[in-house]
Amino acid sequence: SEPSGAVIPDRDALIMELPRPEATSAALVIRAKNSILLDYMMGEFNQLFGDAYQSFVRKRQGFSGERLSQWSVNQGIPLDLSVERNGKWEHVDYYNVVGPMAFKEDVLGFALNGHESNPLRVKLESGYFFWEIDYTGLGIINPAETVTTLVSAASAMNEAGEDMSGCLKSDDQQYYTQPETTSFAEISFTLPELTTGERSLFLHSKGWYQILMDPKGKPDRKYLMTFREPGRFNQFVAEKFSRLAQLAGSNK
């Protein structure tokens, strides 16, 4: 919910207490999505580049994945999972951005070394209202009982009837591109024979997308440089909220 007044927090945090399992590993399952607010604010941020946006996109394509990910982390965009150990919060990992269109399930595993609080305390944290969380659940991992098999795509037929599986079988620089909103692929897998009583199936995918927009105007380069600072995007969101609150107040 929106906080009272014009003061907008930099971070959202959800702290949960759960029964601490007698195990060496656990996993936190979430069903969540990003908010429309984050999507809108990223659009507002891109508008700041004006007619330099396309050259910025080309330059950014040369950045390393680590550099791009670190900027996103510094701005509180991924969902940060932490576990309390010895009375202090310890970072575990991040849930990646999934977009605002639909809730999706994701899971992060972490070790249990006996120094966790009892009950177990976990924290989910991000920039203010960047995520909407519908469900969380704690699972127990027993690696000795888990057998993992990686199955590549047997076929991937696009809307034109062409087999695109060659682009999808390996983690390489070959991509199946979808230039139109009507593009799709029906992917088939040949599963190994089931040798135990049950199994779980996970679809593992990797890719990227390009934001199609064409801002106009002269960019304020000095202002844009401030977004290199950690947390600056959160401040940008707060500034936008404050202006909206002022406009709402002046229209009363």
Side-chain angles (χ1 to χ4, degrees), residues 107-122:
V107 60
L108 286 177
F110 54 92
L112 297 172
N113 57 23
H115 297 288
E116 293 79 19
S117 57
N118 192 9
L120 180 69
R121 285 165 55 86
V122 297

Side-chain angles (χ1 to χ4, degrees), residues 16-37:
M16 297 171 287
E17 292 188 351
L18 304 159
R20 189 173 71 182
E22 295 296 328
T24 58
S25 300
L28 188 71
V29 180
I30 67 169
R31 184 174 184 269
K33 68 182 180 71
N34 295 109
S35 65
I36 292 292
L37 172 69

Side-chain angles (χ1 to χ4, degrees), residues 52-187:
Y53 177 74
Q54 299 303 330
S55 61
F56 167 71
V57 169
R58 289 191 294 271
K59 181 179 179 181
R60 185 170 55 184
Q61 288 175 349
F63 293 170
S64 67
E66 291 77 12
R67 179 176 177 179
L68 295 173
S69 296
Q70 190 58 54
W71 183 85
S72 182
V73 166
N74 289 344
Q75 306 306 325
I77 294 174
L79 187 61
D80 184 352
L81 171 62
S82 299
V83 176
E84 187 180 71
R85 296 189 177 104
N86 295 323
K88 296 181 180 180
W89 290 109
E90 293 186 9
H91 165 71
V92 172
D93 205 339
Y94 298 98
Y95 295 95
N96 289 324
V97 171
V98 298
M101 301 309 296
F103 282 99
K104 296 182 180 180
E105 291 185 349
D106 203 348
V107 60
L108 286 177
F110 54 92
L112 297 172
N113 57 23
H115 297 288
E116 293 79 19
S117 57
N118 192 9
L120 180 69
R121 285 165 55 86
V122 297
K123 179 170 66 172
L124 296 173
E125 188 174 16
S126 70
Y128 173 68
F129 202 48
F130 288 178
W131 285 78
E132 299 177 27
I133 302 170
D134 176 56
Y135 165 82
T136 64
L138 187 69
I140 300 173
I141 300 174
N142 189 340
E145 298 178 359
T146 302
V147 177
T148 303
T149 302
L150 180 63
V151 181
S152 298
S155 68
M157 307 302 293
N158 68 8
E159 69 281 359
E162 301 167 323
D163 188 358
M164 308 303 298
S165 59
C167 300
L168 300 175
K169 285 185 176 181
S170 303
D171 185 0
D172 51 26
Q173 297 301 310
Q174 298 186 55
Y175 293 93
Y176 161 48
T177 59
Q178 294 181 306
E180 305 293 339
T181 56
T182 54
S183 300
F184 68 87
E186 294 185 357
I187 307 174

Side-chain angles (χ1 to χ4, degrees), residues 5 42 51 75 102 107 111-112 115 203 223 228 235 239:
M42 287 302 302
D51 53 21
Q75 306 306 325
V107 60
L112 297 172
H115 297 288
L203 179 63
Y223 181 61
R228 292 182 175 181
Q235 296 171 11
E239 291 165 4

